[in-house]
Amino acid sequence: MGRRRGIMSESFKYELAKDLGFYDTVKEEGWGAIRSRDAGNMVKRAIELAELQLAQQNNRTK
């Protein structure tokens, strides 16, 4: 079985890590060093941003 390709771009993941305060850990030790809680918060924030973007797009089309 091949490795799954991520949905989020690397640059977006780094941006989220900076916003959430664990970029230094990622930079120094890699993604495997972040806490599960941090990974969950990153996914949660990505979903929030996607929902916000969709809402803005829907408001433009009305």
Side-chain angles (χ1 to χ4, degrees):
M1 181 192 261
R3 186 174 179 164
R4 278 182 49 186
R5 193 176 132 237
I7 294 173
M8 288 190 276
S9 70
E10 285 297 309
S11 61
F12 184 56
K13 289 193 287 188
Y14 284 113
E15 181 182 327
L16 289 172
K18 288 176 187 175
D19 289 345
L20 297 171
F22 55 88
Y23 174 75
D24 289 338
T25 301
V26 173
K27 187 173 75 171
E28 294 170 14
E29 302 176 44
W31 289 106
I34 66 172
R35 300 177 303 172
S36 295
R37 180 180 298 248
D38 291 335
N41 287 338
M42 188 170 80
V43 171
K44 182 179 176 182
R45 182 67 179 140
I47 291 169
E48 289 170 352
L49 291 172
E51 287 175 341
L52 180 62
Q53 187 176 25
L54 283 173
Q56 289 173 346
Q57 287 175 357
N58 286 338
N59 287 336
R60 287 185 203 143
T61 60
K62 289 183 179 180

